[in-house]
């Protein structure tokens, strides 16, 4: 992204220089700006084009009377409900509650999943010891744990955090193990030749090599955590975005249902952006294919 | 004066290697219940005097890399004996440095961290001093903070050389170290490794399929044949350094080695670089 920008800026500068040779520096600077601007705007337009088109089609379908508002209220009405819920503070209260649950469950999953994954990745004995139980529990959807969670923890916070923990830990665990197992054998050989200590081998060879996979695990885990919090709140909660959605459905306020859904989507996207930014900062050495 | 002192110190450090008789077989799984044994090396005997430079040439698959991996201690199952200054080799050790065909730098470490990666635990100032010294040795003083992906292939291989030398090994094993580089860089790197060898006088064993490279660098060229890998011929290179690749003696020697690999009918058009 920044490389693209830089190369655009360079070509723009070149174009600008050509103009500037004739008519002076100001002209060249304007030329550079004119060269960069359409590129940036063009990419931004491409990014939002599809959602905007869908919104327009949705609104048009309502205006032409194709859909009943009770089934699918138009974007304008959802927008109004959003403003109302935001103004009353309800939206942020529910969002805050859900976000806190997600972060708690996710943090516990990371605190357990990362060390466990590293341990299993490094030790064949630990792998053998834990493999069957992991393979057996992994396919059970976290939602299937909800009845047990209610029995064990009641309908308080602990049960929901537990569900989120269960949802987030497996992607973290599995990706961490994978990342460690994919350590380049050529680097392993190098470490043997140089008689590197096990500590240095783990810290400087294995973990940095596994980091891309670990970051993927964390991002997928966080996504699953959002799915789980809403599922848990739909069934047993008196607060949170899932509760907001369920409550609105019972009142037949479809617009508020949509506000809840869109808020979840936006929050998930935002957290992914944060994790991706962290990933870029941590992993600067990797050059990967980013589409053509 | 300084150079001769360094050379003397180096000569004391350089180890002599005695190989043989040495053979190695691989067991291949050819079916669910069938295995086949393939002889990779057969009755290799080779003495490498301390401080000398030996080139081993052979076509791919002749077992020359296996031989080097045995010396490095990466292959530990073999029949026979390999001794370094009289002590049998049982595994990898810091007395032997290895340079692989690919640079094998850790992409997440800087150049100086990569060089220090191979260094045993030492006081911080000593680590910094040695890293700086070896960066200078390979001519990369300005690149201490660079990452491997910012380096060219030749520069990355220089870092790998510095990393292999930083523990002051007594033997340096080079496994087709310049095979992945372009022709011009390769020639530069050959001169570079010669300069380093003359400065440090470490025993060097070079495995290559490049006859020109083998003759240019080695005190002796060992020609290997395939299946099983055996030593077909040993040719001392009596030419003074720096060697002129276009001198008649050089070309004659190159032709003689060339003849070991190709039949007469393949030769007439031979080989001009």
């Amino acid at each position: 992204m920044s490389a693209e920008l830089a190369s655009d800026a360079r070509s723009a500068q070149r174009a600008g220089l050509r103009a500037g040779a004739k008519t002076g520096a100001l002209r060249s600077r304007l030329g550079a700006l004119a060269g960069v601007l359409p590129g940036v705007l063009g990419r931004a337009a491409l990014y939002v084009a599809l959602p905007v088109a869908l919104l327009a089609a949705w609104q048009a379908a309502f205006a032409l009377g194709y859909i009943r508002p009770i089934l699918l209220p138009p974007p304008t009405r959802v927008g109004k409900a959003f403003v109302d819920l935001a103004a009353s503070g309800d939206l942020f209260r529910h969002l805050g509650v859900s976000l806190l649950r997600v972060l708690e469950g996710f943090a516990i999953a990371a605190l357990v999943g990362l060390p466990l994954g590293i341990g299993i990745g490094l030790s064949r004995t630990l792998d053998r010891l834990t493999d069957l139980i992991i393979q057996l529990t992994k396919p059970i959807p976290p939602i299937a744990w909800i009845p047990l969670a209610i029995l064990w923890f009641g309908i308080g916070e602990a049960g929901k955090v537990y569900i989120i923990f269960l949802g987030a830990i497996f992607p973290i665990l599995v990706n961490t193990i994978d990342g460690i197992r994919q350590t380049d054998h050529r680097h392993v050989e190098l470490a043997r030749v140089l008689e590197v200590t096990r500590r240095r081998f783990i810290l400087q060879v294995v973990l940095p090599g596994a980091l891309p996979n670990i970051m993927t695990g964390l991002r997928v885990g966080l996504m699953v955590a959002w799915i789980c919090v809403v599922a848990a709140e739909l069934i047993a909660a008196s607060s949170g975005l899932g509760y907001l959605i369920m409550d609105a459905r019972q009142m037949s306020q479809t617009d508020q249902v949509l506000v809840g859904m869109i808020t979840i989507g936006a929050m998930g996207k935002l957290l992914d952006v944060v994790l991706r930014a962290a990933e870029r900062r941590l992993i600067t050495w990797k050059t990967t294919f980013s589409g053509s | 004066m300084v150079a001769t002192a360094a050379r003397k110190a180096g000569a004391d450090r350089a180890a002599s290697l005695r190989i043989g008789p040495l053979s190695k077989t691989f067991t291949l799984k050819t079916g669910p219940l069938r295995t086949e044994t393939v002889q990779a090396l057969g009755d290799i005997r080779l003495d490498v005097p301390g401080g000398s430079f030996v080139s081993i040439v052979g076509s791919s698959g002749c077992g020359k890399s296996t031989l080097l991996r045995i010396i490095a201690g990466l292959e530990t199952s073999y029949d026979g004996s390999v001794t370094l200054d009289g002590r049998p080799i049982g595994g990898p050790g810091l007395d032997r440095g290895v340079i692989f065909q690919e640079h094998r730098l850790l992409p997440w470490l800087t150049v100086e961290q990569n060089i220090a990666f191979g260094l045993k635990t030492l006081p911080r100032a000593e680590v910094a001093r040695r890293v700086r010294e070896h960066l200078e040795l390979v001519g990369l003083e300005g690149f201490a903070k660079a990452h491997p992906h910012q380096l060219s292939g030749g520069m990355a291989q220089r870092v790998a050389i510095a990393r292999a030398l930083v523990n002051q090994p007594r033997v340096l094993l080079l496994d087709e170290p310049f095979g992945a580089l372009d022709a011009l860089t390769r020639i530069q790197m050959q001169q570079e490794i010669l300069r380093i060898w003359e400065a440090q006088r470490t025993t060097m064993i070079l495995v290559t399929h490049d006859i020109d490279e083998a003759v240019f660098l080695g005190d002796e060229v060992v020609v290997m044949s395939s299946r099983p890998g055996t030593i077909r011929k040993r040719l001392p290179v009596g030419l003074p350094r720096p060697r002129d690749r276009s001198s008649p003696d050089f070309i004659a020697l190159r032709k003689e080695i060339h003849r070991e690999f190709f039949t007469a009918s393949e030769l007439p058009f031979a080989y001009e670089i």
Side-chain angles (χ1 to χ4, degrees):
Chain A
M1 181 69 193
S2 63
E4 272 173 44
L5 276 177
S7 90
D8 269 14
R10 271 197 300 277
S11 61
Q13 243 164 21
R14 272 199 297 279
L17 280 177
R18 253 176 270 132
K22 287 180 204 150
T23 50
L26 179 69
R27 188 76 178 270
S28 107
R29 213 165 290 161
L30 281 174
L33 195 65
V36 173
L37 219 53
V40 173
L41 287 179
R43 266 196 303 280
L46 190 65
Y47 193 60
V48 296
L50 204 54
V52 167
L54 279 172
L55 276 178
W58 176 4
Q59 186 74 40
F62 167 75
L64 296 168
Y66 286 140
I67 45 178
R68 287 166 58 199
I70 186 73
L71 296 182
L72 187 64
T76 45
R77 206 172 290 176
V78 176
K80 187 178 175 304
F82 184 89
V83 172
D84 289 347
L85 274 173
S88 72
D90 280 355
L91 184 63
F92 299 115
R93 189 168 56 79
H94 289 301
L95 175 63
V97 168
S98 292
L99 188 61
L100 188 65
R101 285 172 185 154
V102 162
L103 293 181
E104 281 175 2
F106 176 74
I108 298 171
L111 283 176
V112 176
L114 288 176
L116 191 60
I118 291 167
I120 293 172
L122 291 172
S123 155
R124 231 174 283 171
T125 314
L126 196 58
D127 183 30
R128 192 105 187 116
L129 192 68
T130 53
D131 188 64
L132 190 59
I133 199 131
I134 289 173
Q135 299 304 331
L136 286 175
T137 28
K138 200 172 58 170
I140 303 172
I143 298 160
W145 283 88
I146 290 178
L148 270 188
I150 293 172
L151 279 174
W152 292 350
F153 301 104
I155 56 163
E157 290 307 296
K160 290 165 199 76
V161 172
Y162 178 64
I163 298 294
I164 294 162
F165 161 78
L166 280 173
I169 191 166
F170 288 109
I172 296 174
L173 192 61
V174 170
N175 280 289
T176 304
I177 298 171
D178 266 9
I180 286 176
R181 290 289 157 80
Q182 278 168 28
T183 301
D184 194 331
H185 79 276
R186 291 173 305 181
H187 291 156
V188 178
E189 236 174 48
L190 175 77
R192 281 179 61 200
V193 163
L194 293 171
E195 295 198 308
V196 165
T197 58
R198 183 155 174 86
R199 185 187 142 83
R200 191 182 280 185
F201 174 65
I202 292 169
L203 289 180
Q204 297 197 355
V205 179
V206 176
L207 291 184
L211 198 55
N213 283 63
I214 291 175
M215 289 307 295
T216 304
L218 289 174
R219 276 175 42 215
V220 176
L222 190 59
M223 213 42 72
V224 176
W226 271 103
I227 294 169
C228 291
V229 75
V230 173
E233 288 169 355
L234 284 175
I235 291 166
S238 52
S239 60
L241 289 170
Y243 167 78
L244 174 78
I245 290 172
M246 218 51 194
D247 191 47
R249 186 194 70 84
Q250 274 158 5
M251 306 289 180
S252 291
Q253 288 168 316
T254 319
D255 49 358
Q256 290 194 6
V257 171
L258 281 159
V259 169
M261 288 170 64
I262 291 168
T263 308
I264 291 164
M267 204 60 222
K269 163 75 183 158
L270 193 68
L271 288 176
D272 196 57
V273 166
V274 171
L275 274 188
R276 270 180 198 272
E279 189 174 338
R280 266 201 300 277
R281 210 161 248 270
L282 283 170
I283 306 167
T284 50
W285 66 85
K286 224 175 162 179
T287 45
T288 49
F289 179 63
S290 54
S292 55
Chain B
M1 183 61 206
V2 177
T4 45
R7 187 172 294 195
K8 193 171 178 307
D12 295 341
R13 227 171 49 218
S16 64
L17 193 75
R18 176 162 293 194
I19 303 168
L22 169 74
S23 57
K24 157 127 190 123
T25 50
F26 284 112
T27 310
L28 291 178
K29 213 173 159 172
T30 50
L33 295 169
R34 292 220 330 250
T35 55
E36 210 174 286
T37 55
V38 177
Q39 188 160 19
L41 295 173
D43 199 30
I44 301 272
R45 290 160 203 267
L46 184 65
D47 284 344
V48 180
S52 65
F53 199 134
V54 172
S55 308
I56 301 174
V57 270
S59 47
S60 56
C62 76
K64 57 190 192 298
S65 285
T66 305
L67 176 61
L68 205 71
R69 288 172 60 84
I70 288 174
I71 302 169
L74 288 169
E75 299 275 355
T76 47
S77 67
Y78 54 84
D79 302 312
S81 79
V82 184
T83 57
L84 194 70
D85 279 346
R87 283 191 305 277
I89 287 173
L94 290 181
D95 49 0
R96 282 147 290 149
V98 182
I99 295 166
F100 301 96
Q101 178 169 1
E102 336 82 61
H103 54 71
R104 301 199 185 184
L105 299 180
L106 298 166
W108 42 83
L109 299 182
T110 62
V111 164
E112 58 181 1
Q113 288 168 334
N114 263 293
I115 296 174
F117 175 74
L119 207 46
K120 47 188 180 277
T121 320
L122 289 168
R124 187 171 297 213
E126 175 68 8
V127 169
R129 192 186 65 77
R130 285 223 206 165
V131 168
R132 200 170 52 243
E133 204 177 282
H134 285 82
L135 269 173
E136 275 167 32
L137 180 71
V138 296
L140 288 175
E141 296 92 330
F143 292 88
K145 305 285 183 207
H147 276 89
H149 65 91
Q150 297 165 310
L151 305 177
S152 68
M155 285 158 80
Q157 199 58 295
R158 280 169 200 257
V159 179
I161 292 171
R163 177 182 60 191
L165 288 171
V166 78
N167 273 317
Q168 299 168 333
R170 302 163 70 216
V171 181
L172 195 63
L173 307 169
L174 303 111
D175 189 1
E176 299 186 29
F178 314 132
L181 303 176
D182 65 85
L184 297 175
T185 312
R186 197 182 311 154
I187 287 172
Q188 251 173 25
M189 292 298 289
Q190 288 164 359
Q191 281 157 356
E192 188 80 13
I193 203 77
L194 209 55
R195 182 181 64 74
I196 289 168
W197 175 66
E198 277 166 354
Q200 311 243 320
R201 284 285 159 170
T202 313
T203 308
M204 298 228 182
I205 301 177
L206 167 79
V207 155
T208 181
H209 52 246
D210 182 340
I211 295 171
D212 189 79
E213 180 172 283
V215 176
F216 183 74
L217 293 174
D219 291 325
E220 180 181 27
V221 178
V222 175
V223 180
M224 279 183 72
S225 60
S226 311
R227 268 166 234 170
T230 47
I231 292 175
R232 180 187 293 189
K233 200 162 198 175
R234 297 176 61 169
L235 294 131
V237 184
L239 308 172
R241 293 186 178 93
R243 289 174 183 160
D244 177 0
R245 294 173 206 255
S246 56
S247 76
D249 289 342
F250 193 97
I251 292 170
L253 203 55
R254 209 172 61 184
K255 269 194 179 144
E256 193 179 341
I257 298 167
H258 211 255
R259 218 168 279 134
E260 296 294 326
F261 293 103
F262 299 98
T263 58
S265 64
E266 288 167 317
L267 264 178
F269 293 103
Y271 201 87
E272 299 286 333
I273 289 183

